[in-house]
Amino acid sequence: MADSTHHTIRRAAARPRGWCCSFAGVPDSPEHRRALPASSAVGAAVPKLPPPLPPKSPLAPSSHSHHSSPSSKLAGLIDPRRILSPGRVSPIDSEGSPAVAEGPPREQAAPFVAVREHEDEEDGEREGERNALDLRLCLRGRDGRCVAMDLDSAVLCGSSAFFAGMVPDASGVGDRRVDVDGIDNLEAFKEAVELMFEPDAMRWLARAGVSRAIAVLEVSSSIMFDRGIESCLKYIEAVPWNENEEEKLKHVFARCTFDESVCKDVLARLQQQCTSGSEDLTVQLVESITSGTNNGARKEMQSLVSGLLSKSSVYHKDFSGLNKEGLYQICRSCLSSLVELFMEDSEPVEDAGQAMTTSDSRPMIERVSKQTENLKWLFDILLNNDMAEEYVDMWANQDELITMHEKASPMFRYELSRISASVFIALGKGRIQCPSDTRSQLFHGWFRPMLMDFGWLQRCSKGLDVRVLEENLGQALLTLPLHQQQSLFVEWFQCFASRGTECPNLSRAFQVWWRRSFVRSSVEVRQ
């Protein structure tokens, strides 16, 4: 036992340690009682701690404390497995009496005592260690749990202006003790005190992790522990965060005020420093996708940007991130490219074998498909953000493209009807409110191409649900004036009678039109 004690004290002399105990009541440890005068020994007569103060109570003196016990503003829960501080520990046995247990300190144990010159004799070393622990700090959480820490008051006061005004004068008689009640996050408060005595704060924080460092940062701000604030911010800025940690950090910055010189690097990661919005950036990203040449990458980026701009996305805040005019400019550019491709296909070529190949060696089908996919994707973005009315008008007025559709090869002309299908479905679901003239012009130009291309759309759906198309095409048709509906339904009837399943089935919408046009009119005439 003597050898073991000698070994422990030698380590304490090189790196002094403190005592910490955690219990419902706060008795002094047996080791510490031997170092105190008999008149100041604390034993069974120690008064009980008062119950925790209300959450927002001002500083009030404790009934058994030499100084006041302010409430902390911190938030969080204490982990009951971590309420014992490193170093010498006085655990509580099953009957509530303290049992002395001493063992080698953990590697990450923080010393509670400032380093002092030690004497050559063993008794001098032990006495120097005990004399350094001249203050007992009692922390009480809102849940009633307590942590008592014996430590060096000089280090505590030199580190924190909060404690500098609370520690009693060393000339006073009796036990020197400070109580802090009503702490929300007892574990973080204790760790902030430990950090005051830690010679390598960054190493301690690296072992603790980002979440604990953020909690200690908030405590350090509340107790005016400047070195702790700087160390926590320096560590937090240098490591990655997950989303939960980022939200915690934002919460801390909203509650606490830090010097700009020490927090500017962290703020640079939390806040966008430039004054311009995301409108121009959004247009740049969309344009990069529409002009991309790798089909796989383009589809992946389309999915990514669509998710970011979706109203249901957690990243979508408001319409300020969408430049409507910029998006429509990209739409017009894609349409111009599409018209040029169909014009190129309609021009005579000397070598029939090159009829489907362009100057850039890519097949015409691939080039047309790329532009139609771009236009369909842009329509989805505008539709999801309630900006698609102008798109319908723009597509309805593509007279030149409609004329070239009949002359083009069905192998790629059906791609145009894929765009029309998206517009018809949106109209049939009531997601776009366009004037009657725009809807009439749309059906006048693109209804017949849809009837011609429906068989190809079935065979090459590319994600298009033709049953949904049939239903909503009929619903959109029913929004037109009845006399216009009649001419379009007659055209459909003739096409369906000759082509069957190669034509969309609009029977349900046809019946509705028939009832509205003739059955109801007959009843009104008889009345």
Side-chain angles (χ1 to χ4, degrees):
M1 180 65 182
D3 294 340
S4 175
T5 303
H6 179 72
H7 174 70
T8 302
I9 294 194
R10 289 290 183 183
R11 293 191 59 174
R15 188 184 183 189
R17 298 177 291 108
W19 300 342
C20 171
C21 44
S22 174
F23 35 75
V26 193
D28 282 345
S29 68
E31 293 271 337
H32 187 54
R33 285 203 300 268
R34 292 196 298 268
L36 296 174
S39 60
S40 60
V42 181
V46 173
K48 295 182 179 180
L49 291 174
L53 296 178
K56 297 297 182 180
S57 62
L59 302 183
S62 175
S63 60
H64 59 280
S65 173
H66 293 283
H67 282 256
S68 59
S69 306
S71 298
S72 172
K73 298 180 181 179
L74 305 179
L77 296 175
I78 179 173
D79 185 347
R81 297 170 298 179
R82 293 191 50 78
I83 59 177
L84 293 179
S85 291
R88 294 186 180 177
V89 181
S90 296
I92 305 303
D93 60 17
S94 59
E95 297 181 0
S97 59
V100 179
E102 182 172 349
R106 296 183 297 180
E107 180 182 350
Q108 67 271 24
F112 283 2
V113 187
V115 177
R116 298 184 179 182
E117 294 184 1
H118 59 278
E119 303 176 12
D120 295 334
E121 296 297 329
E122 178 179 334
D123 292 340
E125 294 174 351
R126 183 185 296 110
E127 188 65 24
E129 180 184 6
R130 291 173 178 172
N131 291 338
L133 308 180
D134 61 346
L135 177 71
R136 167 155 289 196
L137 176 62
C138 296
L139 309 176
R140 180 186 292 273
R142 292 190 185 277
D143 57 0
R145 296 181 180 181
C146 303
V147 170
M149 307 168 73
D150 291 337
L151 39 80
D152 185 346
S153 61
V155 177
L156 182 69
C157 296
S159 301
S160 168
F162 172 81
F163 285 112
M166 297 180 61
V167 174
D169 190 356
S171 61
V173 179
D175 186 19
R176 300 179 68 201
R177 174 169 169 167
V178 172
D179 295 79
V180 182
D181 297 337
I183 300 175
D184 289 331
N185 193 335
L186 185 62
E187 177 69 12
F189 203 107
K190 178 180 72 69
E191 290 179 339
V193 175
E194 291 180 4
L195 195 61
M196 297 179 187
F197 300 88
E198 180 61 50
D200 191 345
M202 293 297 290
R203 183 180 179 185
W204 185 94
L205 291 167
R207 289 194 299 264
V210 177
S211 293
R212 289 170 63 188
I214 294 173
V216 171
L217 171 65
E218 187 171 8
V219 176
S220 299
S221 175
S222 68
I223 63 176
M224 293 172 280
F225 175 27
D226 293 339
R227 187 173 67 89
I229 293 173
E230 294 177 6
S231 298
C232 289
L233 289 173
K234 182 179 179 181
Y235 165 73
I236 291 170
E237 191 279 331
V239 296
W241 318 323
N242 58 38
E243 291 191 9
N244 290 334
E245 292 164 347
E246 181 180 350
E247 290 304 316
K248 290 180 182 178
L249 193 56
K250 288 180 180 178
H251 180 70
V252 171
F253 270 84
R255 297 183 58 177
C256 305
T257 301
F258 301 104
D259 187 85
E260 184 178 358
S261 61
V262 298
C263 70
K264 62 179 180 179
D265 291 336
V266 176
L267 285 177
R269 288 181 56 183
L270 284 174
Q271 302 173 356
Q272 180 63 266
Q273 301 299 312
C274 60
T275 56
S276 61
S278 59
E279 296 182 3
D280 295 337
L281 179 59
T282 301
V283 173
Q284 291 178 17
L285 296 177
V286 172
E287 191 171 13
S288 298
I289 294 172
T290 57
S291 60
T293 57
N294 187 299
N295 291 332
R298 285 177 55 255
K299 291 180 180 179
E300 184 174 350
M301 292 299 101
Q302 284 178 352
S303 177
L304 172 62
V305 173
S306 297
L308 294 177
L309 299 180
S310 172
K311 282 185 176 181
S312 60
S313 171
V314 296
Y315 303 102
H316 184 89
K317 303 302 180 185
D318 50 41
F319 293 112
S320 61
L322 285 178
N323 186 331
K324 180 179 178 181
E325 182 56 36
L327 292 177
Y328 272 103
Q329 182 61 39
I330 298 176
C331 289
R332 287 189 284 270
S333 175
C334 292
L335 273 173
S336 298
S337 299
L338 200 57
V339 172
E340 291 177 1
L341 290 173
F342 274 81
M343 291 180 63
E344 182 180 334
D345 179 68
S346 63
E347 294 177 354
V349 292
E350 298 179 358
D351 185 358
Q354 298 178 355
M356 301 298 293
T357 306
T358 63
S359 58
D360 66 355
S361 73
R362 289 185 301 164
M364 177 69 74
I365 296 176
E366 181 180 341
R367 299 179 69 195
V368 171
S369 177
K370 173 186 173 181
Q371 297 303 330
T372 55
E373 285 181 0
N374 286 338
L375 287 165
K376 184 179 179 302
W377 175 58
L378 289 165
F379 174 73
D380 290 339
I381 292 177
L382 294 168
L383 179 65
N384 290 333
N385 291 278
D386 301 325
M387 300 178 180
E389 287 77 10
E390 294 180 26
Y391 188 101
V392 179
D393 184 71
M394 180 180 63
W395 186 244
N397 285 281
Q398 296 300 313
D399 296 336
E400 188 176 14
L401 204 55
I402 293 171
T403 301
M404 289 187 292
H405 174 274
E406 297 181 0
K407 303 176 183 178
S409 168
M411 294 181 64
F412 57 82
R413 76 183 185 192
Y414 80 94
E415 293 282 359
L416 299 179
S417 292
R418 287 174 53 78
I419 300 175
S420 300
S422 297
V423 177
F424 285 136
I425 290 173
L427 286 172
K429 291 183 175 181
R431 299 188 62 186
I432 310 178
Q433 294 75 46
C434 294
S436 177
D437 292 344
T438 300
R439 299 195 305 273
S440 298
Q441 189 172 6
L442 178 71
F443 273 93
H444 177 74
W446 290 108
F447 184 69
R448 179 174 295 179
M450 176 63 67
L451 299 181
M452 296 172 59
D453 295 335
F454 188 79
W456 281 88
L457 291 174
Q458 285 181 307
R459 291 185 290 273
C460 307
S461 62
K462 297 183 180 180
L464 174 66
D465 190 331
V466 293
R467 296 293 174 260
V468 174
L469 171 60
E470 289 176 319
E471 179 181 354
N472 288 282
L473 178 62
Q475 291 296 320
L477 201 160
L478 291 172
T479 65
L480 301 178
L482 288 175
H483 70 280
Q484 293 183 15
Q485 294 182 37
Q486 178 173 340
S487 61
L488 293 172
F489 274 120
V490 168
E491 183 178 1
W492 164 79
F493 201 94
Q494 295 172 348
C495 177
F496 190 82
S498 60
R499 300 182 62 187
T501 57
E502 291 288 304
C503 182
N505 191 338
L506 306 180
S507 299
R508 294 177 60 182
F510 179 83
Q511 294 177 49
V512 173
W513 164 76
W514 184 274
R515 176 177 57 80
R516 289 175 178 174
S517 299
F518 302 109
V519 177
R520 182 178 298 175
S521 298
S522 300
V523 173
E524 291 174 354
V525 170
R526 287 198 299 269
Q527 289 178 345

